[in-house]
């Protein structure tokens, strides 16, 4: 159980491109924001004005252009905070920002999918400890969303009910649940491949964050704080992960099959420095688990709900 020294961050870092009042690449200057702040990514991977093209070479080499928009969202003006260490009031603003972005980008006639995600920690490629997320809006569904869409739709067609509602009912009271509140459940899914992978699923059948009422938004903040606090407490380190929300496509069609959820994919396995690598057999064969989902859930469940850095 190696432990890392606590990495203290200043509340404001003059060299940080996300702190209020600081400059970013290309000369833009952040406003002196006091709550959340969203801007167009200065190195956007997707652009709205890309020229349309298609490549189809003997059905083996196939590609087409993709229009899109990339944004960055700051959770707080404070450089030193993380979701686990933010108050429920502060998290309410973050969830409001995600919901507004989903609605605003999704309302563009050509945008079919909005992906909100957070890379947390250098191990997951985050460029900066300042609490932030990315938001990508696409002209087409990306692969993961398309696979989920197909599975949810097939289940809906065959059973006349929602796959995730049924799954949640099956998991109720069982050993893969990590924590829950009145509106959300956090569990290690039966099919998890990352050691401490978690899925957060809304109890009510809603397809997007924008359908949540105020009380449910607060409960989303609560469950996210519970999950990330347990993560941090596991190895007493600011736990790295990539997480993101899956919400219904914004293609202006009804999606009764869709069910709002978030995936957390953390890389750590045994300590603050021992990480799970998806290599060898995983790359060439299939992913395999080091610990069972039930054991992972039990370990996370048994951790204190108070953040280790707040303990005296
Ligand atoms: P990540 O930490 O998940 O990499 O997100 C930060 C994003 O911020 C990243 O996509 C962008 C990078 O392109 N960025 C700017 O938009 N402006 C900057 O001045 C630096 C980084």
């Amino acid at each position: 159980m190696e432990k890392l020294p606590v990495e203290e961050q200043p509340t404001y870092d003059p060299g940080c491109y996300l702190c209020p009042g600081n400059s970013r690449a290309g000369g833009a200057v952040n406003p002196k924001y006091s709550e959340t702040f969203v801007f167009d990514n200065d190195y956007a991977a997707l652009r709205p004005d890309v020229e349309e093209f298609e490549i189809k070479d003997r059905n083996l080499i196939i590609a087409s252009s993709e229009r899109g928009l990339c944004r960055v969202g700051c959770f707080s003006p404070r450089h030193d905070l993380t979701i686990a260490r933010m108050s429920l009031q502060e998290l309410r603003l973050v969830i409001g920002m995600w919901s507004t972005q989903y609605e605003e980008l999704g309302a563009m006639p050509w945008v079919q999918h909005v992906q909100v995600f957070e890379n947390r920690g250098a191990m997951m490629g985050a460029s900066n400890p300042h609490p932030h997320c990315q938001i990508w809006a696409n002209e087409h569904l990306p692969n993961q969303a398309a696979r989920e869409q197909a599975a949810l739709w097939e289940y809906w067609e065959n059973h006349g009910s929602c796959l995730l509602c049924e799954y949640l009912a099956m998991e109720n009271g069982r050993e893969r649940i990590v924590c829950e509140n009145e509106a959300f459940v956090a569990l290690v899914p039966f099919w998890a491949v990352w050691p401490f992978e978690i899925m957060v699923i809304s109890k009510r059948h809603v397809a997007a964050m924008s359908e949540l009422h105020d009380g449910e938004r607060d409960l989303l903040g609560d469950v996210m704080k519970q999950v990330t606090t347990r993560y941090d407490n596991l190895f007493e380190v600011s736990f790295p992960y990539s997480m993101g929300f899956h919400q219904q496509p914004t293609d202006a069609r009804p999606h009764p099959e869709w069910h709002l959820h978030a995936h957390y994919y953390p890389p750590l396995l045994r300590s603050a420095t021992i990480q799970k690598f998806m290599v060898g057999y995983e790359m060439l064969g299939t992913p395999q688990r080091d610990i069972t989902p039930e054991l992972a859930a039990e370990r996370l469940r048994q951790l204190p709900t108070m953040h280790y850095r707040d303990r005296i």
Side-chain angles (χ1 to χ4, degrees):
M1 287 292 289
E2 281 173 85
K3 282 199 182 156
L4 293 179
V6 172
E7 213 182 291
E8 287 288 355
Q9 296 290 345
T11 54
Y12 167 76
D13 175 356
C16 165
Y17 62 84
L18 296 175
C19 278
N22 290 0
S23 317
R24 300 200 310 271
V29 177
N30 296 330
K32 293 208 162 136
Y33 64 97
S34 57
E35 295 182 339
T36 58
F37 169 55
V38 179
F39 61 93
D40 286 332
N41 197 315
D42 300 306
Y43 303 104
L46 295 166
R47 292 172 187 278
D49 52 0
V50 72
E51 214 172 286
E52 241 180 86
F53 70 86
E54 223 174 276
I55 300 170
K56 210 165 187 189
D57 198 350
R58 282 202 289 158
N59 258 350
L60 281 176
I61 296 178
I62 301 170
S64 59
S65 56
E66 178 70 10
R67 279 199 291 170
L69 273 162
C70 296
R71 291 181 175 167
V72 180
C74 300
F75 299 163
S76 160
R78 286 262 306 264
H79 184 79
D80 60 328
L81 289 181
T82 61
I83 295 273
R85 312 206 71 222
M86 287 172 83
S87 69
L88 293 176
Q89 287 77 3
E90 288 165 326
L91 290 176
R92 182 184 299 162
L93 299 174
V94 176
I95 290 158
M97 178 252 274
W98 288 333
S99 186
T100 306
Q101 288 298 313
Y102 172 79
E103 282 190 87
E104 188 183 303
L105 291 164
M108 293 184 187
W110 56 271
V111 170
Q112 289 207 21
H113 185 259
V114 180
Q115 183 62 60
V116 172
F117 65 97
E118 179 192 10
N119 294 319
R120 170 89 214 132
M123 206 179 264
M124 291 311 284
S127 56
N128 190 328
H130 194 114
H132 68 283
C133 68
Q134 293 194 45
I135 305 149
W136 290 34
N138 281 63
E139 189 179 1
H140 297 100
L141 259 61
N143 295 353
Q144 292 295 331
R147 285 185 67 189
E148 283 193 2
Q149 165 68 35
L152 289 168
W153 179 249
E154 191 188 322
Y155 197 90
W156 182 266
E157 281 245 293
N158 292 338
H159 303 265
S161 57
C162 162
L163 188 157
L164 282 180
C165 285
E166 301 264 320
Y167 177 58
L168 213 48
M170 282 174 74
E171 289 288 16
N172 191 18
R174 287 172 75 166
E175 68 273 41
R176 285 182 288 271
I177 308 271
V178 175
C179 56
E180 63 184 299
N181 59 30
E182 293 90 315
F184 289 91
V185 176
L187 50 81
V188 182
F190 176 73
W191 53 85
V193 290
W194 291 94
F196 295 98
E197 184 174 332
I198 279 185
M199 232 175 132
V200 170
I201 309 174
S202 65
K203 287 190 176 174
R204 197 159 67 83
H205 182 69
V206 292
M209 228 179 263
S210 47
E211 287 175 40
L212 297 175
H213 52 66
D214 288 350
E216 287 172 320
R217 281 191 189 194
D218 289 353
L219 289 164
L220 176 57
D222 170 71
V223 84
M224 292 181 73
K225 192 172 162 71
Q226 286 196 52
V227 165
T228 50
T229 299
R230 283 171 199 276
Y231 273 165
D232 285 4
N233 285 344
L234 184 62
F235 301 130
E236 301 205 343
V237 68
S238 188
F239 207 72
Y241 58 78
S242 270
M243 71 80 61
F245 292 94
H246 280 152
Q247 313 186 65
Q248 73 165 30
T250 55
D251 53 6
R253 290 198 206 114
H255 283 285
E257 75 283 11
W258 255 93
H259 193 122
L260 169 70
H261 61 277
H263 296 278
Y264 282 83
Y265 299 121
L268 292 181
L269 173 62
R270 258 194 295 279
S271 74
T273 53
I274 299 180
Q275 137 183 31
K276 160 84 179 170
F277 290 99
M278 290 282 182
V279 292
Y281 194 75
E282 274 115 355
M283 280 179 158
L284 296 157
T286 190
Q288 46 134 6
R289 292 192 56 90
D290 301 85
I291 50 172
T292 64
E294 296 76 24
L295 199 60
E298 190 187 345
R299 286 192 61 189
L300 290 168
R301 204 169 42 238
Q302 282 173 356
L303 290 164
T305 48
M306 182 190 277
H307 197 275
Y308 73 95
R309 289 185 59 188
D310 295 331
R311 269 181 251 144
I312 314 153

